[in-house]
Amino acid sequence: MQSTHLLIEEPVRMASILEPSKPSFFPAMTKIVGTLGPKSRSVEIISRCLEAGMSVARFDFSWGETEFHQETLNNLKVAIKSTKKLCAVMLDTVGPELQVFNKTEHPISLKADSLVVLTPDQNKEATSNLLPINFGGLSKAVKTGDAIFIGQYLFTGSETTSVWLEVTEVSGDDVVCLIKNSATLSGQLYTLHVSQIRIDLPTLTDKDKEVISTWGVKNNIDFLSLSYTRHAEDIRHARNYLSKLGDLNQTQIFAKIENVEGLTHFDEILQEADGIILSRGNLGIDLPPEKVFLFQKAAVYKCNMVGKPAVVTRVVDSMTDNLRPTRAEATDVANAVLDGSDAILLGAETLRGLYPVETISIVGKICAEAEKVSNQDLHFKKAVKYVGEPMTHLESIASSAVRAAITVKASVIICFTSSGRAARLIAKYRPTMPVISIVVPRLKTNQLRWTFTGAFEARQCLIVRGLFPTLADPRHPAESTGGTNESILKVALDHGKATGVIKPHDHIVVCQRVGNASVVKIIQLED
């Protein structure tokens, strides 16, 4: 049976598969979030990552000192200037993550079928028989038969750098476990994950708050990735905290769903969050393997219908050490796009992987191929049906703009916006062509000084599928009589022609406010 997500001629012309893809100005509509770290922090490598298609840089604070991340971010700023590519910044919190400490950093060999004790006494040295952890409540949280996973990165079941334990006995504060697979743990710090057990620690920890209030405020972070989001209250608490930190009241919060508790409260979390990150690494431990795809499809669909970005992780793990993805991984990336993902998040692949630039490039190419056969028409109909009638004024304008663009086969949609909301609504209806969102800055004052807003809003478009933001000249107001918008439109069209996005005789759909009215108009370019 042919999948309704696909638009493939029957029978498929096999020869067409071998035809080289035509290069385009926008490599893919799907966005790529790259995690910057030891292998991807020089100006040169970051510049190449931006050229390859990275539009959001993720900083993972579960490892590394603040100074290290600051140096990396300073390099990112230099790379942005030299490449002239916009890039947003995402801060990823540690959250209630359990960790094992190995002060000596000597490799620890664990043998299958022998016992190891997990102890909260961090003064003890890590050995093959004893592992000190950072949580005193583990013995109260687990029972005999529970599964525990420990690894420097994340347990997938195939590598020998992670271990699977089964609880055999609870002895005071200590937990005695049977080792299920032989493994060697190397390095100073490992992550510990207890399958399907609630860990009684706050989602936004004191350490997270310290990082956000210093590093986050200093660098005006665009996105906060809230690790181990379990309830809608976690989002409300984080938002309340950000609201007291100056400009960070504009920072968008993405809920990272990585355990059964987050899955159970998914609908309420989606209502509160600005976007969702499906953290398939931890989810794959908490859920039976055969259920992971089901949650991905259901969660991405729900995000699509309410117009909030869905980000999928752990797609090309093997590229951490290899130049090419496995066949299954390449198919997985394409399926994530066909499911409706807005962005693909690369973790270890770019953080410590040997081929960060090649990984971004290959993932972008797979996304672009999947987008060509994605059934946008079906998606449009589903989105319209989900919203129902009567539509709000903005929904009606956004869906009309997309319908008009599809009907006249427009090459781009140009949307004027000050908050980014109108552009995100257009993107929700999944047009087949790129949406250039022209973010027009607004003037605001705190009674001490006047400032222009707009940079936040422009960068926050960089995680939404198909949205390509550009910041307009602040001398032009966002809502005006047609005159000033016409001059910005001319600048946008000239830029589009210069880059090859727009060609002579193309149709362009423009969405803008004129006075109190919202207008969708179709322009046909002359020679």
Side-chain angles (χ1 to χ4, degrees), residues 137-150:
L138 187 64
S139 60
K140 296 179 184 68
V142 298
K143 62 184 184 307
T144 303
D146 281 345
I148 295 176
F149 300 90
I150 297 174

Side-chain angles (χ1 to χ4, degrees), residues 235 239 253-255 268-276 308:
I235 304 285
R239 205 178 294 286
I253 299 174
F254 275 54
E268 306 96 272
I269 290 169
L270 179 59
Q271 231 174 340
E272 289 292 330
D274 296 300
I276 298 286
K308 290 185 179 181

Side-chain angles (χ1 to χ4, degrees), residues 48-252:
R48 289 173 59 204
C49 287
L50 292 171
E51 299 280 9
M54 177 179 81
S55 63
V56 180
R58 171 176 170 259
F59 293 81
D60 183 358
F61 276 83
S62 59
W63 66 275
E65 297 300 318
T66 309
E67 295 74 30
F68 179 90
H69 290 301
Q70 188 61 53
E71 280 173 25
T72 308
L73 182 52
N74 293 343
N75 288 346
L76 171 66
K77 288 174 180 172
V78 174
I80 290 170
K81 261 191 176 159
S82 67
T83 60
K84 296 185 172 58
K85 300 271 186 191
L86 264 185
C87 187
V89 171
M90 175 182 280
L91 188 162
D92 200 311
T93 64
V94 180
E97 185 170 274
L98 303 190
Q99 293 169 331
V100 178
F101 295 100
N102 176 18
K103 291 174 189 167
T104 64
E105 294 193 41
H106 296 314
I108 297 169
S109 291
L110 300 167
K111 292 279 178 282
D113 300 324
S114 54
L115 296 176
V116 65
V117 176
L118 305 178
T119 178
D121 186 350
Q122 292 177 38
N123 295 318
K124 291 188 174 169
E125 198 174 299
T127 67
S128 298
N129 313 110
L130 186 85
L131 297 174
I133 62 171
N134 68 338
F135 180 52
L138 187 64
S139 60
K140 296 179 184 68
V142 298
K143 62 184 184 307
T144 303
D146 281 345
I148 295 176
F149 300 90
I150 297 174
Q152 189 177 6
Y153 307 111
L154 261 180
F155 190 92
T156 64
S158 62
E159 74 275 29
T160 55
T161 56
S162 302
V163 70
W164 170 20
L165 309 175
E166 187 182 299
V167 176
T168 57
E169 185 192 343
V170 174
S171 172
D173 287 341
D174 294 348
V175 177
V176 183
C177 301
L178 175 70
I179 300 169
K180 304 284 278 186
N181 67 298
S182 295
T184 301
L185 302 178
S186 56
Q188 183 186 0
L189 198 67
Y190 324 120
T191 302
L192 181 150
H193 187 95
V194 190
S195 186
Q196 299 204 14
I197 296 293
R198 177 182 170 81
I199 298 303
D200 196 17
L201 289 170
T203 303
L204 196 64
T205 64
D206 289 342
K207 184 189 172 189
D208 292 328
K209 287 180 177 177
E210 187 192 334
V211 167
I212 294 165
S213 63
T214 53
W215 192 89
V217 169
K218 179 182 177 181
N219 297 300
N220 267 356
I221 54 165
D222 304 295
F223 303 108
L224 181 74
S225 162
L226 193 61
S227 296
Y228 298 95
T229 303
R230 298 171 286 197
H231 295 270
E233 186 52 44
D234 295 339
I235 304 285
R236 287 191 284 269
H237 175 69
R239 205 178 294 286
N240 183 45
Y241 182 70
L242 290 177
S243 70
K244 297 167 185 161
L245 298 174
D247 282 345
L248 293 201
N249 62 359
Q250 298 177 79
T251 298
Q252 289 190 351

Side-chain angles (χ1 to χ4, degrees), residues 8-61:
I8 290 182
E9 319 140 38
E10 286 289 352
V12 181
R13 220 166 45 80
M14 287 298 172
S16 69
I17 295 171
L18 300 176
E19 288 166 8
S21 303
K22 293 183 183 119
S24 68
F25 180 74
F26 299 115
M29 307 275 263
T30 308
K31 301 304 174 66
I32 296 176
V33 181
T35 306
L36 300 186
K39 298 287 186 189
S40 52
R41 64 190 302 256
S42 69
V43 174
E44 187 215 342
I45 295 291
I46 296 173
S47 300
R48 289 173 59 204
C49 287
L50 292 171
E51 299 280 9
M54 177 179 81
S55 63
V56 180
R58 171 176 170 259
F59 293 81
D60 183 358
F61 276 83

Side-chain angles (χ1 to χ4, degrees), residues 386-405:
Y386 181 87
V387 171
E389 291 178 355
M391 273 187 173
T392 63
H393 182 77
L394 256 180
E395 288 273 6
S396 174
I397 289 291
S399 57
S400 300
V402 175
R403 183 171 291 162

Side-chain angles (χ1 to χ4, degrees), residues 22 93 300 333 362 418 437 484:
K22 293 183 183 119
T93 64
V300 170
V333 174
I362 287 174
S418 53
S437 58
T484 49

